[in-house]
Amino acid sequence: MELHITPPEGILRELEEIDAYLETPHSEELGEVTEYGQQAAVYIARTGRLLADARHHLNSRMREAVFQTLERQARTAGATAKATNKIVDSLCADEQYLCDMAERVNRAAVHRLDWCRTLISKAKEEMRLAGMQPT
């Protein structure tokens, strides 16, 4: 099975671009909201994939870090399991950051899509109340 994993630099670059888009304020004009919602839905899918790729990098790095740390511990024979876990966590800080950021951007996209749905529902209700739409 051939995996197409986005490299860490690519993950960070894409997440920053998506995050900048999601942080941009938009009007409540229905056409713009609909377009924004469509893009947010695409970003939800993409950030989910980027999160999976980031976790792949984290797991790979943790595997390497665990073996390196255990090898060092075997030579010095003094660190506890808790200390070993902390060492491994610190060695994988960049990869963990990518996972955390991907999760945050994904959640932001989900919330923004919910916002779009709310505005569309509001517009429909306003149209209904104004007699512009059949009940």
Side-chain angles (χ1 to χ4, degrees):
M1 173 171 62
E2 185 179 341
L3 298 176
H4 299 284
I5 308 296
T6 308
E9 313 78 46
I11 293 171
L12 183 58
R13 185 179 56 254
E14 275 192 72
L15 289 174
E16 287 173 341
E17 289 171 10
I18 293 168
D19 192 43
Y21 178 82
L22 294 173
E23 289 178 355
T24 303
H26 293 277
S27 75
E28 292 188 13
E29 192 272 313
L30 197 54
E32 188 176 339
V33 170
T34 302
E35 184 179 315
Y36 186 87
Q38 289 171 340
Q39 188 61 49
V42 170
Y43 283 155
I44 289 168
R46 184 60 187 152
T47 56
R49 173 58 192 261
L50 292 173
L51 176 57
D53 291 353
R55 283 200 176 121
H56 172 81
H57 292 299
L58 175 61
N59 292 335
S60 296
R61 179 69 175 118
M62 286 185 92
R63 189 172 40 253
E64 294 169 17
V66 166
F67 287 127
Q68 292 170 0
T69 303
L70 290 175
E71 185 179 53
R72 258 183 274 135
Q73 274 189 326
R75 280 188 255 133
T76 60
T80 65
K82 189 173 184 175
T84 301
N85 288 337
K86 291 292 183 187
I87 291 167
V88 170
D89 288 346
S90 69
L91 292 171
C92 302
D94 290 344
E95 292 81 3
Q96 184 62 54
Y97 172 80
L98 282 179
C99 289
D100 293 345
M101 184 172 183
E103 286 177 340
R104 190 192 67 72
V105 173
N106 181 269
R107 280 194 308 273
V110 168
H111 293 307
R112 294 295 282 196
L113 183 56
D114 288 343
W115 172 79
C116 291
R117 284 189 194 114
T118 299
L119 290 178
I120 291 168
S121 294
K122 175 185 169 205
K124 283 176 150 180
E125 183 63 13
E126 287 172 350
M127 288 170 55
R128 187 187 68 75
L129 291 172
M132 298 172 61
Q133 179 180 356
T135 55

